[in-house]
Amino acid sequence: MYKRVYCRDGYNVSIQAGKGNYCYPRDDYGPYTEVELGFPSCADPMLDGYAEDKDDLLETVYGYVPSTVARDLIVKHGGAVSGECPPGVVMLMAEGIEYFEEKKRKE
């Protein structure tokens, strides 16, 4: 299980892949060209077509999301500040993480 990805703007989402996930290939090794995202902190139109439950976009999983879409989602939200991605998903880190961490400490 990979740690939840937190982005600079506060958005966060679980990005998983493995035998028991909606991903490709469905193995525990990868690299993955499609991954499963789940339980995002807010709805994002980039994921709408992948939702398992289209009536509850926050409490659902998003299956077979192309790895490039997962990467672009992270970029859209300012880059990652923490978390892990399965092999095949490029997790671009946010610049200026120190600013984000300081802001979180003050809250």
Side-chain angles (χ1 to χ4, degrees):
M1 182 170 233
Y2 298 91
K3 293 179 184 174
R4 190 172 190 83
V5 173
Y6 289 85
C7 296
R8 184 177 183 128
D9 69 358
Y11 179 83
N12 59 86
V13 65
S14 173
I15 304 175
Q16 302 297 320
K19 284 183 184 175
N21 299 103
Y22 299 128
C23 64
Y24 185 82
R26 285 192 85 176
D27 63 27
D28 289 332
Y29 310 104
Y32 302 96
T33 57
E34 297 175 337
V35 293
E36 176 183 303
L37 278 65
F39 310 99
S41 57
C42 64
D44 191 295
M46 287 180 72
L47 299 178
D48 286 354
Y50 303 100
E52 185 173 71
D53 181 353
K54 297 186 186 325
D55 294 325
D56 190 355
L57 297 176
L58 301 183
E59 295 296 322
T60 192
V61 295
Y62 298 78
Y64 301 101
V65 177
S67 297
T68 54
V69 171
R71 177 206 59 213
D72 292 349
L73 183 69
I74 293 168
V75 170
K76 177 181 177 182
H77 289 282
V81 295
S82 66
E84 299 173 337
C85 287
V89 178
V90 177
M91 187 169 87
L92 297 170
M93 300 302 289
E95 291 185 35
I97 290 174
E98 300 80 16
Y99 166 80
F100 182 79
E101 290 173 348
E102 181 65 26
K103 184 178 175 186
K104 280 181 69 174
R105 278 194 288 270
K106 291 179 180 179
E107 292 176 350

